[in-house]
Structures are given as C-alpha cells and as structure tokens.
C-alpha cells in the first residue's frame, strides 16, 4: 500500500473473530493543485487531526495565490504486524474518520 486512500481497503465486516494482518506504517502525501485563472476558491476543508490508540492522522489545506497545497500524514503504530479483534474496532473507527477527510471538498 503506497497511499493513504488504499491503507484502509482491507476492511470488511464491522467486527472480526480472527486477527487481521495490518502492519504499522507511515505514509505521507503532499499534493499541489494549480488553479486556472478565473477560478476562485470559496472554502478549503478544515485541517484534521485524529489520535487513536492505533495511530494518528493529520491533514492540512492551504492556498497561496493560484496554488492549493494538501498535506496528509498517516501513522499506524501497532506493536505487531497483526491487529487483534479489539484493535480492529479502533482501526476501523480511525479508517472511517480518515476516509471522511479524504472525501473533503474544495468549494469554488
């Protein structure tokens, strides 16, 4: 998995009876969007910080002139390359919050 969007693709059912292979990792992304002339941004998404027993996620959105920069960072800090059933619930909760931020929209 090389991007944040695909990091949580392994989720299926709301609960698990067996551990899930999900090793710790750090993923950082930075995206720069160059806006065309005449396009005015009305609103950027608010920055997000998520702290979880399973890791952390942060994102920022900024504009400078005609450029918008989006930065995102995901840290999964598990003690082993698998998560147990209780950790899975936390991981799933964190994944849902991260996916909400990934779907945030720039209004123009």
């Amino acid at each position: 998995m090389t991007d944040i969007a695909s990091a949580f693709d392994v989720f299926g059912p709301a609960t698990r009876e067996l551990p899930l292979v999900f090793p710790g990792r750090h993923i950082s992304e930075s995206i720069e969007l160059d806006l065309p002339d005449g396009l005015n941004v009305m609103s950027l998404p608010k920055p997000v910080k998520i702290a979880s027993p399973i890791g952390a996620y942060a994102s920022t959105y900024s504009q400078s002139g005609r450029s918008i920069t989006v930065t995102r960072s995901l840290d999964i800090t598990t003690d082993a390359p698998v998560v147990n059933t209780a950790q899975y619930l936390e991981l799933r909760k964190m994944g849902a919050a991260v996916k909400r931020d990934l779907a945030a929209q720039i209004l123009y």
Side-chain angles (χ1 to χ4, degrees), residues 7-8 21 33 36-37 45-46 48 57 61 63 80 85 87 93 97:
F8 298 101
V21 175
L33 305 169
D37 290 336
K46 294 186 185 308
V48 171
Y57 170 80
Y61 303 83
Q63 183 174 5
T85 55
Q87 290 173 314
K93 180 179 169 184

Side-chain angles (χ1 to χ4, degrees), residues 3 6 9-10 20 22 25 40 42-44 46-47 50 54 56 58 64 69 75 81 87 99 101 104:
D3 63 359
S6 65
D9 283 348
V10 297
L20 172 71
F22 200 88
R25 68 198 77 168
N40 296 313
M42 294 174 17
S43 175
L44 292 174
K46 294 186 185 308
I50 299 168
I54 207 84
S64 177
T69 302
D75 287 298
Q87 290 173 314
K99 285 187 173 193
D101 182 58

Side-chain angles (χ1 to χ4, degrees), residues 35-86:
L35 303 174
D37 290 336
L39 186 86
N40 296 313
V41 173
M42 294 174 17
S43 175
L44 292 174
K46 294 186 185 308
V48 171
K49 285 191 179 190
I50 299 168
S52 165
I54 207 84
Y57 170 80
S59 68
T60 61
Y61 303 83
S62 62
Q63 183 174 5
S64 177
R66 308 288 324 145
S67 293
I68 294 175
T69 302
V70 179
T71 58
R72 297 181 177 124
S73 177
L74 173 68
D75 287 298
I76 301 297
T77 54
T78 55
D79 295 335
V82 297
V83 294
N84 63 38
T85 55

